[in-house]
Amino acid sequence: MPRFAAGVVRFQNEVYPQKKELFEQLSKGQEPEALFITCSDSRIETAMITQSEPGDLFIVRNAGNIVPPHTSHTGGVTAAIEFAVAALKVPHIVICGHTECGAMKGAMNPEGLNELPHVREWLGYSKAAVEIVNAKGKDLGDQERMKLLLEQNVVLQLQHLKTHPKVAMALATGDVQLHGWVYDIKSGGVTAYDSQEDKFLPVDVRYAAEMAKLASGGCAA
Ligand code: ZN
């Protein structure tokens, strides 16, 4: 912990002064551009991957980047989604899975989770993705099956997201867009789900049109 305390002191002395105006502005309120739902895995650094600043991303993290389908039961993920969409009015929601995900490995082999009953139950929200992989991935090797599971889990959680009333409402009025990503820890690459083609494409291919518009000074979509 002294390492992190020293880090805070360095932040105050070296980093904060360079961004003083930003932090002062942020003290008045937040207007994040995206709700970013990703895994708790320590190897995912959201600001670094997206090159974003404080105030840009409203972040929800849990084991397996899971969004339980909406029920009348109140949970932390449900409340954060409701707040981000209805109060902060985020225009984008990203669900970002990642390679080497321990949660997805557990979902694939739940018998290994007997000593972790809460993890096992939580990963039940990925069961439909596991079933898809079992049905479609019979002839695939372990690595390909895991890749398919990472992707199918993101697609499944996007479906769960649509069951949340405020998300459904914002989708119906065109006020929010949903995005499914997978981050590759080893290569640093990110693929993004293309719902029309029903497959994951490199992020620069998936967002080529939007990125061109952003580069030319237009409004980013
Ligand atoms: Zn993970």
Side-chain angles (χ1 to χ4, degrees), residues 35-188:
L35 163 60
F36 200 90
I37 302 170
T38 192
C39 189
S40 298
D41 193 298
S42 64
R43 296 164 293 181
I44 301 170
E45 182 43 73
T46 54
M48 196 182 283
I49 295 168
T50 59
Q51 290 291 289
S52 53
E53 293 281 3
D56 285 341
L57 300 177
F58 189 82
I59 299 171
V60 172
R61 300 184 72 151
N62 61 54
N65 38 272
I66 280 166
V67 175
H70 184 266
T71 65
S72 55
H73 174 75
T74 294
V77 176
T78 301
I81 290 169
E82 186 178 80
F83 183 72
V85 175
L88 296 175
K89 302 195 184 305
V90 290
H92 300 278
I93 304 177
V94 181
I95 295 182
C96 184
H98 69 102
T99 57
E100 303 303 326
C101 183
M104 288 304 102
K105 288 175 185 173
M108 193 84 101
N109 302 294
E111 63 280 1
L113 297 171
N114 288 341
E115 298 300 314
L116 303 172
H118 293 293
V119 174
R120 193 178 57 198
E121 189 178 342
W122 178 247
L123 294 177
Y125 293 122
S126 295
K127 182 129 178 52
V130 174
E131 297 288 3
I132 290 171
V133 173
N134 287 338
K136 283 179 74 179
K138 282 196 193 85
D139 301 327
L140 298 176
D142 286 352
Q143 220 170 347
E144 285 298 304
R145 278 166 60 85
M146 184 48 69
K147 179 171 179 275
L148 185 60
L149 178 59
L150 299 175
E151 294 179 349
Q152 288 300 323
N153 181 57
V154 167
V155 173
L156 177 65
Q157 305 313 326
L158 286 171
Q159 289 169 2
H160 291 170
L161 203 46
K162 294 175 190 171
T163 67
H164 289 248
K166 299 297 186 194
V167 175
M169 208 165 80
L171 278 171
T173 52
D175 289 324
V176 77
Q177 291 179 32
L178 306 187
H179 309 264
W181 291 6
V182 174
Y183 167 60
D184 187 315
I185 288 176
K186 194 173 176 187
S187 73

